[in-house]
Amino acid sequence: MLENLGKLNTGTFIVNNLRLVGVVEAVFVFLFLIPSTMHIDFFLLLSWFGGAIMIHVASEDKPIPPIIFLIVALVSAYLRDPSLFGF
């Protein structure tokens, strides 16, 4: 994973703070699973995956994994609470 992140031109912050990045991702997923915090964390996850997609596109890499996780988050949020999407 360090080699793959090193190939993306993300600088040294992500590579040096990989544990912090992993903890933040785990906290976001955990908060998404709790019904009372799902609404706010839904937008945090969208922002997180949007940033991941941006990093992949800027480094001319294929952004397939973050797009897949984003789609899974969108579908699961819609199935749990369709009012998030204004329908």
Side-chain angles (χ1 to χ4, degrees), residues 6-82:
K7 292 176 188 174
L8 300 174
N9 291 324
T10 59
T12 58
F13 176 78
I14 293 178
V15 175
N16 291 339
N17 297 305
L18 193 58
R19 286 192 178 122
L20 176 65
V21 171
V23 167
V24 170
E25 286 179 4
V27 167
F28 283 176
V29 170
F30 178 72
L31 290 175
F32 186 68
L33 296 176
I34 299 171
S36 62
T37 60
M38 187 199 76
H39 290 104
I40 188 69
D41 197 59
F42 171 68
F43 296 106
L44 289 173
L45 277 175
L46 289 182
S47 301
W48 187 268
F49 290 130
I53 291 169
M54 187 243 359
I55 287 174
H56 280 272
V57 169
S59 65
E60 299 175 356
D61 192 26
K62 295 178 184 170
I64 302 300
I67 290 175
I68 291 172
F69 288 123
L70 179 64
I71 290 171
V72 168
L74 287 169
V75 169
S76 64
Y78 179 75
L79 292 176
R80 289 176 68 189
D81 189 6

